Amino acid sequence: MPEPIAGLDRLRSFIATATRLAGPAGLAQSPALESAFAELLRHDDWLPEACTVPHPQYYQQYLLHCDPLERFSMVSFVWGPGQSTPVHDHEVWGYVGMLRGAEINQRYVREADGGLRPAGAASTLMPGDVERLAPEEGDIHQVFNAHADRVSISVHLYGGNIGAVSRHVYDPATGVAKPFVSGYSSASVPNLWDRSLAVRAGLAASA
């Protein structure tokens, strides 16, 4: 049996914090939640290797955790060299945090004629950076791996089960929206509940 990942306690601790902050109506964005998310991203020893694997053609969205009541979900986004998303929205709030590499984010706003135009210059996320997304503030954007020669990985926290949310991709020239549901790239999730390393260490210390 493989040993559990030593740093996985960081992910488990963050999910426990998010669960405590969630209420019957769901989990809301807050300074406490964003601070805990930013603290997780200051460390790079907790993401399972299986959730870091790129695809030669498509970005990958690996599910790390989904709240049993679907109040929030967390994914690792793995970008192969030069990969990008279509222009899309989310329909739920989100935090995007950079773990490895770099990511370029171009936001869009709707014109009077229905088309879309870039909302200012693109921004670049570097490791440790966190960006906030909120539908009521406009969350239509396109994202690119900033590197043409290596993998980048970001971690996303959403206010719902993002793989099952009906949202949209857009033709930026016309603004025409097409529904899509992203799903997930993985058939399994990290085992957060194998705390055997810590329990064994405790037993050894008390022996």
Side-chain angles (χ1 to χ4, degrees), residues 31-111:
L33 181 63
E34 185 170 345
S35 176
F37 186 56
E39 175 60 29
L40 176 67
L41 291 163
R42 291 190 185 101
H43 307 274
D44 189 6
D45 61 354
W46 55 267
L47 186 63
E49 192 67 28
C51 300
T52 69
V53 180
H55 184 279
Q57 291 179 277
Y58 314 109
Y59 62 84
Q60 299 290 279
Q61 179 174 270
Y62 294 106
L63 179 63
L64 301 177
H65 179 75
C66 184
D67 172 68
L69 300 181
E70 300 185 274
R71 296 172 296 183
F72 65 93
S73 61
M74 192 172 180
V75 301
S76 63
F77 240 86
V78 181
W79 306 91
Q83 290 178 351
S84 64
T85 68
V87 178
H88 66 283
D89 64 16
H90 307 86
E91 296 293 335
V92 295
W93 62 258
Y95 288 119
V96 177
M98 207 68 214
L99 190 67
R100 302 174 193 171
E103 184 176 289
I104 297 170
N105 176 30
Q106 177 63 66
R107 293 184 181 246
Y108 286 83
V109 294
R110 194 174 286 282
E111 298 271 36

Side-chain angles (χ1 to χ4, degrees), residues 116-206:
L116 299 175
R117 65 171 173 81
S123 60
T124 300
L125 289 184
M126 302 299 292
D129 290 346
V130 175
E131 184 161 38
R132 179 176 179 271
L133 300 171
E136 63 273 15
E137 297 171 6
D139 70 333
I140 300 174
H141 72 169
Q142 186 173 22
V143 186
F144 306 81
N145 184 351
H147 299 289
D149 59 352
R150 60 189 171 102
V151 170
S152 292
I153 300 176
S154 54
V155 179
H156 301 203
L157 178 70
Y158 293 106
N161 178 5
I162 192 63
V165 173
S166 177
R167 43 204 183 110
H168 309 89
V169 293
Y170 294 87
D171 178 336
T174 65
V176 171
K178 178 181 177 182
F180 89 106
V181 179
S182 68
Y184 297 111
S185 302
S186 49
S188 60
V189 295
N191 181 0
L192 297 176
W193 307 113
D194 187 350
R195 297 189 297 107
S196 58
L197 283 180
V199 174
R200 287 174 190 146
L203 290 173
S206 62

